[in-house]
Each structure stands twice: as structure tokens, then as C-alpha cells.
Amino acid sequence: MLDFIHQSPALAGLCAGLITWLFTTLGAAAIFLKREFSRRTLDILLGFAGGVMLAASMWSLLAPALELAQPAWGTWKFVPPAAGLLLGALILRLLDFATPHFHLMLGRPDGPESRLPRSFLLVFAITLHNIPEALAVGVAFGAAAIDPTLGMAGAFTLMFGIGMQNIPEGMAVSLPLLREGMERRKAFFIGQLSGLVEPVAALAGALLTSLALPLLPWALGFAAGAMIFVTVEEVIPEAHASGNGDAATMGLVAGFAAMMCLDVLFS
């Protein structure tokens, strides 16, 4: 397995993206269960997802970025990760501002006015979430493939951490659509469709990273900045939208702790 990743980091990133997409599909498939999830449960799971993303940004992206920048930057090793972080958040903010999408939990559209169907805008919103997440997974696999000192454990931990938080995201798309009267199979299809971009973004992240070692601290910081922006701008407000803020916050703390423990345990 390790030889395969070192020999084909781009293909390894693609496979990792396919796995995270499968987690999204698993979440969307919750609509076929006999017992429907309550909104409180969904908010706790969304909070957990936000905690995983925040912890992954720190332990699986920014910490390795600082380590990689140390030889070239010394005391100023924070510059590449910090600059990448700010750039990642800025680009996601521009995308958020310039593209129409819909917050189903918040019950309102966002971005420029659009006449596109609400289901399309919802999928587009979740897709914006998934791009930086999958990019981070691809970057992690690409980085581990070309710099053995980073180890593969962090990349696999990030992949499964992002996969876990994709489950409530898939549910967050399909379940509300089902409650609005959409046919069950169509709601499932739209829910899993939101994760289709992940294999492509993970492949791009692994491919670009494996080609340019000096860019690694910048790329890892960029992925972290994009993920932090998505968490604070989208995931946390969605989890707090229905008055379950305390439960969602505890879910976030649990997700952060779980991801931190996994990263330290397998690093």
C-alpha cells in the first residue's frame, strides 16, 4: 500500500477522494432508514463535522506546514502557512460572494440573485464545502508521498476524518429535500451528487503537490484556510439555525477532540 502511494501519489489522492465521496453517499442514504433523524441529531452531527474540520486544519495541515517550512524559513517558518491560510480563506470568500447558492437549514439563498432551482443551489453550496475538504485530502497524500518524514498516518487520518464529517453533510442535503416532498430516490441522488467533486479535487491536490515540494507549506496552509472559512461561514451557522446551539457546540467539541486524538494516535 505504501509503495503504491509513493509511486502514484495522484492516483492515491483520487482513491482517497472516492472514499470521502462514498461517505457522503452513505449520509445521503439515511433517507432510506425507517426511523428519521431528528433536527437536533442532525445539528449535533453538523457540529461534530465542524469540529473535525477545525482539528484537521490544525493537526493535519498547519502543523505539518510549519514543520516543512522550518528548514528554509527558520524563525519565520510561519510565513508560508499563514500566507496560504489567508489566501485560502480569501478565495473561498470570493467564491461565496460571487456564486449563487442556498442555505436550506437557514432557509435563505446567498450570493448573487439567481432563478436556478433551489435543489441546484443547495448542491452547489455543499459542493463549495467539499472542494477545500477534498483538496486538503489530496494535498496530504501528495505531501506524504514526496516527504516520508510526514508519514502516511496523517493523510489517512485526515481522509477518514473528512469522510466522517461528510456523513452529516450528505444527510443535510437529502433529509430536508425529503421533508419538502421530493421523491426519496431523487433526494438521495441530489445528496450524493454534492460529493461528486471530491475525487476530482483530491486528484488535483495530490497531483499539484507531488510536482512541487517547495509549495507544500503554502498548499497545506491554503487548504487549512479554505476549510476554516467553510466551517465558520457555513457549517457552524447551519448547526445553530434551529435553536440547538448548545447541543451543536458540544458536538463540535467532541468532533475536535476525536480528530485530535486520531491524528496523535496514528502519527
Side-chain angles (χ1 to χ4, degrees), residues 70-89:
Q70 171 70 39
W73 291 81
T75 306
W76 296 87
K77 63 181 180 180
F78 59 84
V79 171
L85 186 147
L86 293 172
L87 182 61

Side-chain angles (χ1 to χ4, degrees), residues 21-239:
W21 176 30
L22 288 177
F23 276 96
T24 303
T25 303
L26 180 63
I31 60 172
F32 295 111
L33 298 175
K34 292 183 179 180
R35 182 177 180 181
E36 186 174 329
F37 284 84
S38 67
R39 179 56 204 269
R40 178 182 173 84
T41 300
L42 183 57
D43 287 339
I44 293 173
L45 291 174
L46 283 172
F48 184 90
V52 167
M53 292 173 69
L54 290 177
S57 299
M58 175 60 212
W59 299 97
S60 298
L61 297 172
L62 291 176
L66 289 168
E67 182 178 338
L68 287 170
Q70 171 70 39
W73 291 81
T75 306
W76 296 87
K77 63 181 180 180
F78 59 84
V79 171
L85 186 147
L86 293 172
L87 182 61
L90 176 61
I91 289 180
L92 261 292
R93 175 65 186 107
L94 292 176
L95 286 174
D96 192 62
F97 176 78
T99 55
H101 51 282
F102 191 86
H103 298 276
L104 191 53
M105 299 295 185
L106 299 178
R108 60 172 174 80
D110 199 5
E113 185 176 349
S114 174
R115 295 183 180 180
L116 292 171
R118 193 161 76 162
S119 59
F120 177 87
L121 296 179
L122 176 62
V123 171
F124 194 79
I126 300 298
T127 299
L128 285 179
H129 293 189
N130 288 337
I131 289 175
E133 298 166 9
L135 183 66
V137 172
V139 167
F141 273 90
I146 62 178
D147 191 338
T149 61
L150 294 177
M152 287 294 171
F156 278 103
T157 302
L158 179 62
M159 179 186 71
F160 283 110
I162 295 300
M164 285 192 301
Q165 69 89 37
N166 277 351
I167 294 176
E169 284 195 354
M171 294 167 57
V173 178
S174 60
L175 288 175
L177 291 177
L178 182 65
R179 295 192 189 108
E180 289 193 343
M182 183 175 287
E183 195 268 334
R184 201 173 288 268
R185 291 184 180 180
K186 185 177 180 181
F188 166 73
F189 176 77
I190 292 176
Q192 65 82 30
L193 190 65
S194 64
L196 187 59
V197 71
E198 297 202 21
V200 179
L203 171 62
L207 185 60
L208 292 174
T209 303
S210 63
L211 294 176
L213 179 60
L215 293 179
L216 276 180
W218 306 82
L220 290 167
F222 179 92
M227 285 181 60
I228 291 172
F229 177 87
V230 165
T231 303
V232 178
E233 175 72 9
E234 306 283 354
V235 177
I236 294 176
E238 296 277 1

